């Protein structure tokens, strides 16, 4: 399998996962024009997308999904909570957390997460014995999430904010509390703790995503993660808001 990102952050998210016969887009959080431009950048057209799997209804994950699915008839998989919050996606297919979806050789497993949306989930993607975990927009990882992501060979993991930068930033207190709360986002510290809990050691297959442009910096994340990965930290990927991430192969 290989995977790539159209971009990640509070202004839009979409991830591609591809095997020989199928290419699935997880979230469609850019407007239609940007989605097409960013797909093209990765050598893909809209007709190549087998299906879209949504994580939740926040704008940075669904901004382009209505028009995209309407224009190309792409099936859009989502939980019923997401569907109710979203409305008006004609090609929706309802799923439940824990479901396994099959697209060619890809198996995509939905995992319920704690986030301030109606019924949010994230996904673990399998091909043969290889597993990729996508995990952003989560306030904290409960035991069920740890179980679901244990043994992943690659991770696209949120490190949203630095505690100090969030605390000292200009966001209203209510927004700060939401971000840092149990239904918000993972801080850098929480993200590193999760990596340790998962015993994830493959720094080459670690992609850091959904990094706040206001309350975080790549260098802040690197200096914290250096405590765990040492100088190897330079090998980890950052999924940028603007550039996304080019294809990575998991074999
Ligand atoms: Zn988000
Ligand atoms: Zn969200």
């Amino acid at each position: 399998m290989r995977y790539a990102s159209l971009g990640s952050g509070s202004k839009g998210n979409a991830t591609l996962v591809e095997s020989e016969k199928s290419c699935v887009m997880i979230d469609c959080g850019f407007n239609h024009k940007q989605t097409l431009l960013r797909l093209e950048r990765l050598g893909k057209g809209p007709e190549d997308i087998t299906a879209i799997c949504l994580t939740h209804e926040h704008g940075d994950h669904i901004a382009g999904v209505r028009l995209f699915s309407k224009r190309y008839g792409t099936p859009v998989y989502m939980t019923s909570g997401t569907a109710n919050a979203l409305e008006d996606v004609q090609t929706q297919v309802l799923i439940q957390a824990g479901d396994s979806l099959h697209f060619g050789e890809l198996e995509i497993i939905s995992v319920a997460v704690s986030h301030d949306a109606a019924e949010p989930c994230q996904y673990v993607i399998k091909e043969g014995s290889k597993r990729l975990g996508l995990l952003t927009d989560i306030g904290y990882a409960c035991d069920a999430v740890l179980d679901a992501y244990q043994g992943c060979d690659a991770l696209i993991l949120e490190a949203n904010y630095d505690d100090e930068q969030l605390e000292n930033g200009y966001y209203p207190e209510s927004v700060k509390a939401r971000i840092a709360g149990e239904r918000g986002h993972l801080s850098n510290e929480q993200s590193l703790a999760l990596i340790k809990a998962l015993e994830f050691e493959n720094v080459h297959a670690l992609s850091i995503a959904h990094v706040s442009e206001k309350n975080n910096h790549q260098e802040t994340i690197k200096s914290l993660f250096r405590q765990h990965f040492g100088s190897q930290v330079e090998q980890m990927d950052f999924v940028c808001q603007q550039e996304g991430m080019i294809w990575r192969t998991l074999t």
Side-chain angles (χ1 to χ4, degrees):
M1 118 177 57
R2 61 177 196 156
Y3 55 98
S5 171
L6 280 69
S8 179
S10 61
K11 294 178 183 148
N13 297 271
T15 307
L16 295 183
V17 186
E18 185 177 61
S19 64
E20 214 177 291
K21 295 197 187 82
S22 48
C23 182
V24 175
M25 182 154 66
I26 299 182
D27 288 327
C28 186
F30 296 95
N31 69 33
H32 193 63
K33 188 178 163 196
Q34 277 298 317
T35 304
L36 297 189
L37 281 171
R38 287 163 187 253
L39 279 175
E40 195 184 346
R41 193 163 73 187
L42 294 166
K44 291 285 151 191
E47 305 82 4
D48 297 325
I49 305 303
T50 315
I52 297 170
C53 296
L54 296 182
T55 59
H56 62 300
E57 72 276 15
H58 288 165
D60 57 321
H61 297 263
I62 57 99
V65 76
R66 286 188 187 84
L67 189 52
F68 192 99
S69 60
K70 193 173 168 193
R71 197 157 288 181
Y72 305 105
T74 321
V76 185
Y77 293 75
M78 64 187 95
T79 62
S80 54
T82 301
N84 290 338
L86 205 60
E87 294 175 350
D88 201 28
V89 173
Q90 308 287 330
T91 54
Q92 70 180 33
V93 183
L94 294 182
I95 61 167
Q96 290 182 338
D99 280 358
S100 265
L101 313 171
H102 294 266
F103 307 100
E105 305 87 349
L106 292 178
E107 179 183 359
I108 301 189
I109 302 149
S110 64
V111 181
V113 293
S114 174
H115 189 56
D116 59 346
E119 193 184 353
C121 66
Q122 293 289 326
Y123 296 101
V124 172
I125 303 102
K126 286 167 76 173
E127 185 186 30
S129 63
K130 292 292 172 189
R131 305 204 309 155
L132 162 69
L134 171 64
L135 191 57
T136 70
D137 299 79
I138 173 170
Y140 81 103
C142 63
D143 288 347
V145 169
L146 289 176
D147 281 350
Y149 286 79
Q150 203 80 47
C152 280
D153 302 285
L155 278 181
I156 302 175
L157 179 65
E158 167 171 79
N160 185 258
Y161 65 94
D162 169 62
D163 289 302
E164 215 170 297
Q165 289 177 44
L166 179 68
E167 183 58 36
N168 297 328
Y170 63 87
Y171 280 5
E173 291 307 314
S174 60
V175 177
K176 289 181 186 177
R178 186 190 80 74
I179 292 171
E182 288 200 339
R183 301 182 73 211
H185 291 275
L186 291 184
S187 69
N188 298 344
E189 297 271 1
Q190 287 176 301
S191 184
L192 180 59
L194 185 54
I195 287 165
K196 288 179 181 170
L198 294 175
E199 298 175 14
F200 186 82
E201 290 300 332
N202 188 359
V203 72
H204 295 276
L206 176 61
S207 308
I208 298 298
H210 220 304
V211 176
S212 168
E213 291 180 329
K214 301 271 174 12
N215 304 308
N216 212 348
H217 288 110
Q218 285 191 11
E219 284 309 317
T220 313
I221 298 170
K222 275 187 191 169
S223 76
L224 177 69
F225 280 37
R226 203 168 276 126
Q227 295 170 9
H228 183 66
F229 288 117
S231 58
Q232 281 197 79
V233 81
E234 299 301 331
Q235 314 298 322
M236 87 189 170
D237 274 317
F238 282 91
V239 189
C240 305
Q241 181 71 83
Q242 201 50 44
E243 289 85 26
M245 181 174 70
I246 58 167
W247 291 103
R248 302 280 178 242
T249 303
L250 185 57
T251 50

